[in-house]
């Protein structure tokens, strides 16, 4: 596959994630949209690194670190959402916004 097709796939992932993050009110669906957006960015970075310097291993290490950080961030986010739901039955973004008051 060519660079353009991979970048088109990354852009499509990012756009679908952006649409999901902007249109959903469920906190879990919002986090899924953010996950897709991050996946698109990581895919674009990995493809760009592969085409710029295919023999270098620094890009692979950077991508593994980014995916690990993304997984850790989502795990912590889901733990916070689970705690909010268990304590106050909050599952929508507008209900969570009331916690600031």
């Amino acid at each position: 596959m060519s660079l353009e097709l991979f970048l088109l796939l990354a852009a499509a992932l990012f756009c679908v994630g952006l649409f999901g993050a902007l249109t959903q009110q469920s906190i879990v669906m919002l986090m899924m949209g953010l996950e897709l957006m991050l996946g698109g960015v990581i895919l674009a970075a990995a493809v760009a690194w592969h085409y710029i310097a295919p023999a270098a291993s620094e890009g692979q290490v950077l991508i593994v670190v980014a995916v690990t950080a993304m997984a850790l961030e989502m795990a912590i986010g889901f733990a916070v959402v689970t705690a909010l739901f268990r304590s106050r039955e909050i599952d929508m973004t507008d209900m969570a916004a009331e916690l600031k008051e």
Side-chain angles (χ1 to χ4, degrees):
M1 291 181 69
S2 66
L3 174 66
E4 293 84 17
L5 288 176
F6 276 117
L7 291 178
L8 186 64
L9 176 64
L13 276 175
F14 187 84
C15 290
V16 168
L18 183 64
F19 178 76
L22 292 177
T23 59
Q24 299 297 320
Q25 289 192 1
S26 171
I27 296 174
V28 174
M29 295 300 289
L30 174 74
M31 290 177 65
M32 289 174 70
L34 292 174
E35 184 85 17
L36 281 174
M37 289 171 61
L38 287 171
V41 169
I42 289 174
L43 177 65
V47 168
W49 198 281
H50 175 72
Y51 278 92
I52 291 172
S57 64
E58 294 91 10
Q60 294 174 357
V61 172
L62 181 66
I63 297 304
V64 168
V65 168
V67 169
T68 304
M70 183 175 69
L72 187 64
E73 172 207 351
M74 285 298 148
I76 291 171
F78 280 122
V80 169
V81 169
T82 303
L84 276 174
F85 184 76
R86 286 184 180 174
S87 67
R88 298 188 183 170
E89 304 239 348
I90 293 175
D91 62 346
M92 297 293 192
T93 55
D94 55 349
M95 296 165 74
E98 295 172 358
L99 292 175
K100 287 195 248 180
E101 299 171 0

